[in-house]
Amino acid sequence: MSDFIKRPSRRALLSGLAVSPIAVAGIGSFTSSARAQAQAAGLISANVCMVMPEVTEGPYYLDEALLRSDITEGREGVPMRLRLQVVTAECAPVEGARVDVWHCDAAGNYSGYASQGSDGTNDTEGETFLRGTQMTGADGVAEFRSIYPGWYRGRTTHVHYKVFLDERTVLTSQIFFPDALSQYLFQSVPPYNDRSAERDTMNGNDGIAKQAGEGAYAAIREQYDFYDAALVVGIDPSATSAEGGMGAGGPPPGGERPDGPPPGGVGGPDQGGSAEVFIPGRTASE
């Protein structure tokens, strides 16, 4: 039998992914069959090639033209490899797209601004940590080395990004992460747990996360030295970004914290999970 008959078509693979639901309690996780389908279709994660909705840019974007893959600048935190694959709605990779990313550090601070953090007292003007730009390769992938982002009042854990084509912004959006993993890190792992305050906003009560939808959640996989966070970003190449709608006014408050423990199965001892959770790049004694 020929390979043409034995191998499913690209269209069939993509159709299968398009109808594969993301488990509500396991956003960021996909079945092995879904991952295999995605890999066969040339995708780095199993979220489908939908055109991503645009959400607010927020108040902390800086166009510093920092062409670099390592954006850490010595900031402490759990290492994370962040990969964004820019594709069209037909899952065709977009080569040569500019991708900008920026996010807060473990203490909730962005670089480059005064009055930082949930208490508004930290000044990071002139600093450029956790910001960077990469161009996508032939596979549509832009890759960054960073740390797992922290949190600040009114927002769930997230990373901002912009996609540019021909000096034109085609998409401004955000990437989100599993609540259970975030909660464990923030409660149990330094420097995230150095803070006395508890976060007030999770995915379920963050208005921007709701607007972005399930396709905006990164697929997270543990590696020995880092977390691998991957997202397929579907764009409309003919679109022009509205620069986020709410502009420099920033995101709205996330609302009240929901009752009860965080969802999912990566809780620490206080959440009924195992205390022996593997943290990439760290030994059990750290």
Side-chain angles (χ1 to χ4, degrees):
M1 185 179 293
S2 69
D3 288 343
F4 177 79
I5 297 175
K6 286 192 294 185
R7 296 179 60 187
S9 69
R10 179 182 176 86
R11 181 182 297 274
L13 287 169
L14 298 179
S15 297
L17 287 173
V19 298
S20 296
I22 302 173
V24 174
I27 286 177
S29 299
F30 300 90
T31 65
S32 57
S33 61
R35 290 198 300 268
Q37 283 183 307
Q39 185 176 16
L43 304 177
I44 62 172
S45 74
N47 54 320
V48 298
C49 299
M50 65 185 76
V51 174
M52 295 295 289
E54 184 156 85
V55 300
T56 180
E57 174 185 296
Y60 299 123
Y61 178 63
L62 289 174
D63 187 356
E64 296 281 11
L66 298 169
L67 189 63
R68 58 185 184 174
S69 61
D70 190 340
I71 64 175
T72 310
E73 288 194 15
R75 231 54 187 181
E76 293 185 356
V78 175
M80 179 178 73
R81 180 177 70 177
L82 178 63
R83 294 182 294 148
L84 286 79
Q85 185 176 35
V86 180
V87 300
T88 66
E90 292 76 32
C91 283
V94 179
E95 183 177 7
R98 169 183 163 179
V99 179
D100 288 8
V101 300
W102 69 102
H103 66 86
C104 70
D105 65 7
N109 299 305
Y110 287 86
S111 61
Y113 287 86
S115 303
Q116 280 294 295
S118 291
D119 58 3
T121 61
N122 197 17
D123 187 347
T124 62
E125 287 187 296
E127 299 184 60
T128 58
F129 58 83
L130 306 179
R131 299 179 180 274
T133 295
Q134 283 287 277
M135 307 300 290
T136 59
D139 56 0
V141 175
E143 181 177 313
F144 299 88
R145 283 175 288 167
S146 189
I147 61 169
Y148 196 91
W151 65 274
Y152 52 95
R153 273 204 314 270
R155 289 303 317 278
T156 192
T157 307
H158 63 282
V159 169
H160 300 261
Y161 69 91
K162 282 180 174 284
V163 179
F164 299 81
L165 296 178
D166 301 324
E167 300 183 355
R168 171 174 48 88
T169 315
V170 295
L171 180 65
T172 301
S173 197
Q174 299 178 21
I175 306 167
F176 300 93
F177 299 84
D179 260 336
L181 174 59
S182 297
Q183 189 72 357
Y184 177 78
L185 294 177
F186 300 158
Q187 289 186 337
S188 307
V189 178
Y192 303 95
N193 65 350
D194 292 343
R195 306 170 66 179
S196 57
E198 292 188 8
R199 61 178 181 150
D200 61 352
T201 309
M202 298 187 186
N203 296 333
N205 64 330
D206 184 288
I208 298 174
K210 291 180 181 178
Q211 179 187 353
E214 290 182 345
Y217 285 83
I220 306 291
R221 301 190 72 183
E222 293 175 346
Q223 305 296 326
Y224 183 76
D225 289 326
F226 56 86
Y227 282 119
D228 180 83
L231 184 73
V232 176
V233 177
I235 65 165
D236 176 0
S238 65
T240 298
S241 173
E243 297 295 337
M246 284 183 281
E256 298 180 358
R257 179 174 176 172
D259 294 331
V266 193
D270 295 336
Q271 283 70 51
S274 169
E276 299 299 325
V277 176
F278 176 72
I279 305 299
R282 305 194 179 204
T283 65
S285 61
E286 290 183 294

